[in-house]
Amino acid sequence: MIQEAILHLPYGAYAYALSSHEARVMLRAKRGDLKKVHLVHADRYRLEDDLEMLEVGYSGSDDLYDYFQTTIHSKTRRVAYRFLLDDGVRRLWYGEKGFAEHGDAAGYFQLAYLATGDLFEIPDWVDEAIVYQIFPDRFCNGNEKNDPDGVRPWGEKPKWDTFFGGDLEGIIEKLPYLQELGVNLIYMTPIFKSPSTHKYDTSDYLTIDPMFGDLATLKRLVSEAHKRGMRVMLDAVFNHCGSQFPYFQDVVEKGEKSRYKDWFHLHSFPVDTEKVNYETFATKVASMPKLRTENPEVREYLLHVAEYWIQEVGIDGWRLDVSNEIDHAFWREFRRVVRKANSQALIIGEVWHDSTPWLLGDQWDGVMNYLFRDAVVEFFAKRTLDAERFDNRLTNTRMRYKEQANRAMFNLLGSHDTHRFLTLCEERVERMRLAVMFQMTYVGIPEVYYGDEVGMLGENDPDCRRCMIWEEAKQNRELFDLHRKLIALRKKHKALQTGTYRTVRADALYNVYGYVRENAEESVYVVLNNGLITAEVTLPAGVTGVDLLTGETYAGTFSLPSMEGVVLLLNGGTV
Amino acid sequence: MIQEAILHLPYGAYAYALSSHEARVMLRAKRGDLKKVHLVHADRYRLEDDLEMLEVGYSGSDDLYDYFQTTIHSKTRRVAYRFLLDDGVRRLWYGEKGFAEHGDAAGYFQLAYLATGDLFEIPDWVDEAIVYQIFPDRFCNGNEKNDPDGVRPWGEKPKWDTFFGGDLEGIIEKLPYLQELGVNLIYMTPIFKSPSTHKYDTSDYLTIDPMFGDLATLKRLVSEAHKRGMRVMLDAVFNHCGSQFPYFQDVVEKGEKSRYKDWFHLHSFPVDTEKVNYETFATKVASMPKLRTENPEVREYLLHVAEYWIQEVGIDGWRLDVSNEIDHAFWREFRRVVRKANSQALIIGEVWHDSTPWLLGDQWDGVMNYLFRDAVVEFFAKRTLDAERFDNRLTNTRMRYKEQANRAMFNLLGSHDTHRFLTLCEERVERMRLAVMFQMTYVGIPEVYYGDEVGMLGENDPDCRRCMIWEEAKQNRELFDLHRKLIALRKKHKALQTGTYRTVRADALYNVYGYVRENAEESVYVVLNNGLITAEVTLPAGVTGVDLLTGETYAGTFSLPSMEGVVLLLNGGTV
């Protein structure tokens, strides 16, 4: 037994409450090292009574580790527990005091009390959500009267500073399109007043940019969306404002005498937007001064903004820009304010890296899942990962987070900050088809970046922000139909939303990836042949599968051609 | 290289801010596996520029792992970093993406932004503190007029429910004694109104129990203590109240109609103190109903209590009873309220196990360090650990926490909830002598449990709560003098307070434990011979050491008899 490779922590994603009487516990060990893991637990004040035993089931592997998980049910909400590890040769107890041949010498890990005040609660509707990300200037121009000067013709190649006239009325106009596609959550990049086309440099957090509409238009959008069973999220750019933000202008004008000087991180006076003697987003981006969120005034102001748009317009959540550069203390208050205003509001951060410290239950629900995207891009689009390593990467990402966070992830193939996925596929639609089949059947909220569903192309920003293609003749309608079908399947089959995820096949040789999503009612077996040759897939005797995409029934052994996939609803057992 | 055993996390005690521009980073590896660890870091938006390289120094070992630490200085406060690991044969990069032969393939760990809003700030005075724990009923009876009925003669063997008449005036009377001893922080177990002798079953959080005194007496105690350069901490029993607490009585009387029914965790009505149909401290302790701290009314009430005693009396901190069974959300608010009332207030939790989730900087400063005590008891008192394993246990405990928390730990040898240390030593004072030498020169705040300094004995509660021995003839004055001298040394030598801790010798064969505390100005080398035979200690050529306890000077090789120790201020170099 490789003791040094065994890890359990009595906190974080390794031990946490699922409810007031249930705790999820996880342990990791060197891949292949342990054959069986058990756990004993009791009330922490009554270690001699009511001791219960559980098997800690294998739940996946990454490059280096196997992960084991179980759920403890505690009547008293105070849990002491330790593991019995079995590598097939030797059994060792493992507890807070380390490894030992006798249980008591290992001690007990402690979940002192499953306090509901710390419960990680995500909105009830998260599991059903499919999100559609819109860059408003580029989606649809529903009202030419509000176009800014110098609008360029729809479909022209965008530059950094091009305006195309897209607006909120355009989005309202296209709600039937979104409804046909099946998405039910709209996330718009920023819509507040700002001089830029992307609007990540806010001038006024309480006003809709006139080129997009006004308060009434947004209210109409939200109410029309709600009527259609869709929700709407806005983008909170709280790390920095725009340099036109009046309080920053005040500081530029009045220097040290400005009453807003503590709203920013100023290095010296006078404030100089040429030399950029203040902290900004990234490095010396003069137009984006960083806000000092530790200042109670700033905090109060931004929290008011967060609350205002929920109370005034009824939005269903916030996506948080550059949110890992703001203090955790701010986000904890943010969660309290937002959830008080709307207990069902979703909170999604932007982090491109490990997001653990923000996803413990006290700050955000999920993040733009770029670790997911990295793996999907490498496996399906660039084909630099094989199926085994792909599975390892997915597992590694999933095991970083609590179950609640995994369910609330925005699983994106691309965004306004990346290459378009089909471009990364070298425009080979069959690669994207498999990726979408995967995305729509994986754990977490599928996120469609506007236009991806009709095969739009684009290099990195600004090229990935081209105008939406509305001419059906120029759309890839097959890809659209695939999205539509898969979204419908995900909405219909609870197993695809919340079913256990279990890898069945992660085949480096054939590059075939197969996994099951299952609950007590149904098992869905997805098999994706991302390899270059036809592979054989075998269902156990007595088990049949109906491909939910084609209606075709499979049994026994069948061939799955290169770059094809099936989504099989199993009958008569599981794989 | 045993990759599976290598751990770094870009959060918690593995990566955290020491200030707005400094971050501590730690890595652990299988013991003996790595020869050298380096780190490269840069601004996370400018990975190509200003890349800096640091050696990550070895900082200790436990049974299984070596730990390496360094401090990153960042101009821009946004840090990306990765490690280069060298096991003497092979070098591998290690970053967020795992291990790789090429740096870029390993990716970068990220400390996105060193936000001051998340800084772990402990009181400025922590490093100088030496705490003295008092159980008020048993320390000194300064006023017989406030004695409760049935007080027993001072010095009689205590039972659970014995009253001896100790009070706040008694403590005031003994301030000169405490000053002579040298302690400068008094922590009293609860003093608020309650029917019991221990007063962990509060009836009224806003009134001093009349048998101890009143508001004026406490004010006098605090002001007299402050005059003598001592601080005073109280015990916050917020997990549960006493069954005489009026709001609980209201629930007992009025059942479901009580407006306080949501203050408790009630299982059914009527509330029955015989059947105990409600959550309590531990298991069915009828007299201690658990408070529902998730209820905003309860929170507000308890936070008012926390604030009141700071504002009204000027106390210097709170010790928090059973504090791991209250939600983190409560403690975060508690910290805000307490620090707003007194920015220099110390917050110490009670946890007998790993305390990581509470010691990240947003809740408490430190805990009653029972993991420290366990190791000290096993090494010095029970002699079931050898010096090597003792060092491993200390390192393991220290590496769990951020530096700030380690500095704020209450390093106790015993408390009102344990056997007395000298009793665990089988009354062999020479064992306790070494333990006290260790305690007073280790990282964190030494905590003296009243009477331990004069050799008091006692089995576990209630026997460990005997009346303080005031007759000098019955006191162990040598032990008192040792405490007095060591406390004076600790106060005089900054290196003993905040100097780096470095193990020099952890010798399983001789059972000799030696370590250095050092800073830029001075090195103090402590060597404790906890073995049964005389050991030789060698100072490097040119280095001499003056024993701060005896004044004797050592050089070259000298003999250290069994159960003797030295505290050497080094001259001419270090060991």
Side-chain angles (χ1 to χ4, degrees), chain A residues 45 65 78 113 279 282 325, chain B residues 4 45 78 113 279 282 325:
Chain A
Y45 292 102
Y65 303 105
R78 297 174 304 236
Y113 185 74
E279 285 191 36
E325 297 190 14
Chain B
E4 292 84 355
Y45 293 102
R78 296 173 305 235
Y113 186 74
E279 285 189 37
E325 298 191 12

Side-chain angles (χ1 to χ4, degrees), chain A residues 416-428:
Chain A
H416 62 296
D417 285 330
T418 69
H419 289 73
R420 288 263 183 192
F421 194 77
L422 189 54
T423 296
L424 292 174
C425 288
E426 299 168 300
E427 305 186 25
R428 293 175 66 166

Side-chain angles (χ1 to χ4, degrees), chain A residues 389-441:
Chain A
R389 265 92 191 168
F390 176 59
D391 185 56
N392 292 351
R393 290 275 287 277
L394 294 174
T395 305
N396 182 280
T397 299
R398 222 164 49 237
M399 298 301 160
R400 288 170 193 257
Y401 308 121
K402 299 184 181 185
E403 178 184 307
Q404 294 94 325
N406 283 324
R407 281 163 54 194
M409 286 287 170
F410 272 16
N411 289 337
L412 67 164
L413 301 189
S415 76
H416 62 296
D417 285 330
T418 69
H419 289 73
R420 288 263 183 192
F421 194 77
L422 189 54
T423 296
L424 292 174
C425 288
E426 299 168 300
E427 305 186 25
R428 293 175 66 166
V429 179
E430 70 276 20
R431 295 186 189 171
M432 180 147 174
R433 285 186 70 246
L434 288 188
V436 175
M437 287 171 71
F438 173 70
Q439 175 194 31
M440 294 295 174
T441 55

Side-chain angles (χ1 to χ4, degrees), chain B residues 298-564:
Chain B
V298 175
R299 218 153 56 215
E300 205 178 307
Y301 175 83
L302 296 175
L303 294 174
H304 169 65
V305 170
E307 189 181 39
Y308 170 80
W309 291 105
I310 294 175
Q311 289 180 337
E312 186 65 28
V313 177
I315 62 164
D316 302 286
W318 284 104
R319 179 266 188 188
L320 314 171
D321 189 56
V322 198
S323 46
N324 54 348
E325 298 191 12
I326 296 176
D327 49 303
H328 296 287
F330 176 84
W331 292 124
R332 291 194 188 100
E333 283 198 51
F334 178 88
R335 187 178 188 85
R336 261 196 302 278
V337 167
V338 164
R339 283 293 168 81
K340 197 173 167 196
N342 174 1
S343 66
Q344 290 290 308
L346 182 63
I347 302 171
I348 299 294
E350 184 203 15
V351 181
W352 293 54
H353 302 275
D354 183 288
S355 309
T356 302
W358 296 274
L359 297 180
L360 297 171
D362 56 336
Q363 296 166 68
W364 317 330
D365 298 311
V367 291
M368 308 273 286
N369 197 355
Y370 281 102
L371 296 184
F372 163 92
R373 177 182 175 270
D374 292 346
V376 169
V377 164
E378 290 175 43
F379 181 56
F380 292 106
K382 296 187 176 173
R383 304 174 65 80
T384 51
L385 272 186
D386 66 38
E388 183 181 334
R389 265 93 192 169
F390 175 60
D391 186 56
N392 292 351
R393 289 274 288 278
L394 294 174
T395 305
N396 181 280
T397 299
R398 223 164 51 238
M399 298 301 161
R400 289 170 192 258
Y401 307 122
K402 300 183 180 185
E403 179 184 306
Q404 293 95 324
N406 283 323
R407 282 163 54 194
M409 285 290 169
F410 271 18
N411 289 337
L412 67 164
L413 302 189
S415 74
H416 62 297
D417 285 329
T418 69
H419 288 72
R420 289 263 183 194
F421 194 77
L422 190 53
T423 297
L424 292 175
C425 289
E426 299 167 299
E427 305 185 25
R428 294 175 64 165
V429 179
E430 70 274 21
R431 295 187 190 172
M432 181 148 175
R433 285 186 71 248
L434 288 188
V436 175
M437 289 172 70
F438 173 70
Q439 175 194 31
M440 294 295 174
T441 54
Y442 189 63
V443 181
I445 305 174
E447 178 173 20
V448 179
Y449 181 52
Y450 81 96
D452 273 5
E453 77 279 15
V454 293
M456 279 178 62
L457 298 170
E459 303 289 322
N460 209 345
D461 174 10
D463 195 40
C464 58
R465 303 172 181 183
R466 295 184 197 172
C467 296
M468 177 68 181
I469 296 172
W470 289 114
E471 279 177 80
E472 289 212 2
K474 293 188 176 167
Q475 293 181 335
N476 183 328
R477 295 302 296 179
E478 263 183 67
L479 200 52
F480 179 86
D481 281 339
L482 181 72
H483 275 87
R484 197 177 47 74
K485 278 188 190 163
L486 283 164
I487 289 170
L489 291 182
R490 185 177 179 95
K491 283 163 135 179
K492 185 173 171 193
H493 295 278
K494 278 275 164 208
L496 294 180
Q497 297 169 16
T498 51
T500 305
Y501 188 87
R502 179 162 55 80
T503 305
V504 174
R505 186 165 172 178
D507 181 334
L509 192 59
Y510 281 87
N511 225 12
V512 170
Y513 189 54
Y515 52 94
V516 164
R517 301 293 313 270
E518 66 193 349
N519 58 25
E521 285 75 40
E522 52 184 15
S523 282
V524 180
Y525 180 29
V526 182
V527 195
L528 307 172
N529 184 352
N530 196 31
L532 299 176
I533 52 179
T534 297
E536 297 206 324
V537 178
T538 303
L539 297 179
V543 176
T544 59
V546 180
D547 187 348
L548 295 170
L549 287 169
T550 62
E552 205 167 323
T553 300
Y554 294 89
T557 295
F558 61 94
S559 292
L560 189 65
S562 168
M563 304 312 287
E564 293 288 335

